[in-house]
Amino acid sequence: MKPRVLVLMGSPSDADVMAETVRILRELSVPYAVDVVSAHRTPDQATECARLARDAGIQVIIAAAGLAAHLAGVIAANTTLPVIGVPLDAGPLRGVDAALATLQMPGGIPVATMAIGKPGAVNAGLLAASILSLADADIKVRLDRYRDEMRASLLDKAAKVRATLGPTE
Ligand code: RP5
């Protein structure tokens, strides 16, 4: 199947966290491709990746980076596809640097910025699927099922917490 979501990260050191995005896309059967491109170290590859994506059939790009995280912004500057940014915790500022760099885009070039780190990586996969679900009923069904299972799992765990920690009769 042709990839519909392109998952980019700024360094191989981002792969462990971005495995969470891939896990979600696999769970929802969304075809994806992965690459490592850097706004700073391989700027030509990053630009080319963004410029070729739409004609390659990509519908959403996820771009994750840490530190002075310009990857999502550079990608968004070179395509009008939706770009989801994931700021990563890669240094002493614990990802706040990357969050601000990814989030504070000037008007005209949007980046949908997720939370720092793993929760953001998970949500990037879900948001990409959600965008695709606008025109894909099968993905919508799988997203609804994901929510139902999450709700059921939490209700089950809540019942166990009540049983373990709740007041005695
Ligand atoms: C960013 O710098 C990458 O996205 C990574 O999060 C961070 C550190 O990269 P490495 O020095 O580990 O390659 O560009």
Side-chain angles (χ1 to χ4, degrees):
M1 282 232 280
K2 269 182 91 170
R4 297 174 68 185
V5 175
L6 178 58
V7 181
L8 299 174
M9 61 200 88
S11 165
S13 65
D14 300 327
D16 282 354
V17 174
M18 292 314 291
E20 290 295 304
T21 302
V22 165
R23 180 176 64 76
I24 294 291
L25 295 174
R26 283 185 180 158
E27 202 172 319
L28 297 173
S29 302
V30 173
Y32 66 90
V34 175
D35 209 347
V36 177
V37 289
S38 165
H40 306 118
R41 292 164 174 162
T42 59
D44 293 343
Q45 283 77 3
T47 303
E48 192 185 335
C49 215
R51 291 196 174 151
L52 299 177
R54 190 186 287 271
D55 285 346
I58 297 296
Q59 293 171 303
V60 181
I61 301 179
I62 296 169
L67 302 177
H70 296 128
L71 182 60
V74 165
I75 296 296
N78 285 285
T79 181
T80 50
L81 288 171
V83 175
I84 302 172
V86 184
L88 299 176
D89 171 1
L93 300 185
R94 310 291 307 270
V96 174
D97 43 2
L100 292 175
T102 306
L103 182 67
Q104 287 289 65
M105 290 299 293
I109 307 293
V111 169
T113 304
M114 303 292 101
I116 296 167
K118 278 191 182 177
V122 168
N123 284 344
L126 291 171
L127 182 58
S130 177
I131 292 167
L132 297 185
S133 77
L134 290 170
D136 188 322
D138 292 339
I139 293 180
K140 183 197 174 298
V141 167
R142 293 195 284 272
L143 265 176
D144 287 342
R145 194 168 56 216
Y146 178 92
R147 283 279 172 103
D148 289 344
E149 286 170 6
M150 186 173 60
R151 189 179 305 113
S153 162
L154 183 55
L155 289 173
D156 186 46
K157 285 175 187 159
K160 284 181 183 135
V161 170
R162 283 197 301 275
T164 312
L165 301 180
T168 49
E169 302 286 313

